[in-house]
Amino acid sequence: MLLRGLTWLVLFQLLGTAINHLFLPVLPGPIIGLLLLLVYLISRGQVGEPLSLAASSLLRYLPLLLVPPAVGVMVYFKDIAADFWAIVGALVLSLVLSMAFAGVLMQRMVKRHAPRGDDQ
């Protein structure tokens, strides 16, 4: 069961990589494969047991993906410390802009789903 789910995941990744090399070199192949998998699952309407089992077993190892960035931060600590205030400024600016965008988007969504006054 697990092998069948992993086969589906690898198949979609290989399909995405093939599309990347043949038609769409802008997007990475695994991203294209992930989008194809999303379209496949939406069209199916459910996630099968083999795919669910494979995904849940892979999620256990997801924290290991954070080890290389942590090592990179420690290797380039002097460079990061030299540009500390620029990094902090960029992070604060991106936080403020993303929160403002989320607020405006939320207000528009609330207005769209609010009941109209002429119905009552």
Side-chain angles (χ1 to χ4, degrees):
M1 199 68 99
L2 176 67
L3 188 59
R4 190 180 312 162
L6 288 174
T7 303
W8 275 107
L9 291 175
V10 170
L11 180 73
F12 275 105
Q13 181 176 358
L14 288 175
L15 186 61
T17 302
I19 290 173
N20 169 271
H21 286 299
L22 294 175
F23 305 114
L24 197 60
V26 177
L27 284 175
I31 300 298
I32 296 171
L34 188 66
L35 291 174
L36 290 173
L37 178 64
L38 176 68
V39 168
Y40 171 72
L41 291 176
I42 288 174
S43 68
R44 244 183 111 196
Q46 66 176 357
V47 178
E49 185 180 345
L51 197 59
S52 178
L53 182 64
S56 64
S57 65
L58 286 175
L59 280 176
R60 274 186 275 158
Y61 302 107
L62 189 62
L64 291 177
L65 295 175
L66 299 176
V67 172
V71 171
V73 166
M74 296 311 294
V75 167
Y76 293 105
F77 182 75
K78 290 182 183 178
D79 295 333
I80 292 172
D83 295 326
F84 178 75
W85 291 112
I87 293 171
V88 168
L91 288 172
V92 168
L93 182 65
S94 66
L95 174 72
V96 168
L97 288 176
S98 62
M99 287 186 68
F101 177 73
V104 169
L105 185 64
M106 190 66 187
Q107 285 179 346
R108 288 188 181 180
M109 288 177 67
V110 166
K111 283 181 185 177
R112 179 182 294 173
H113 293 291
R116 304 253 191 271
D118 51 342
D119 293 341
Q120 298 172 347

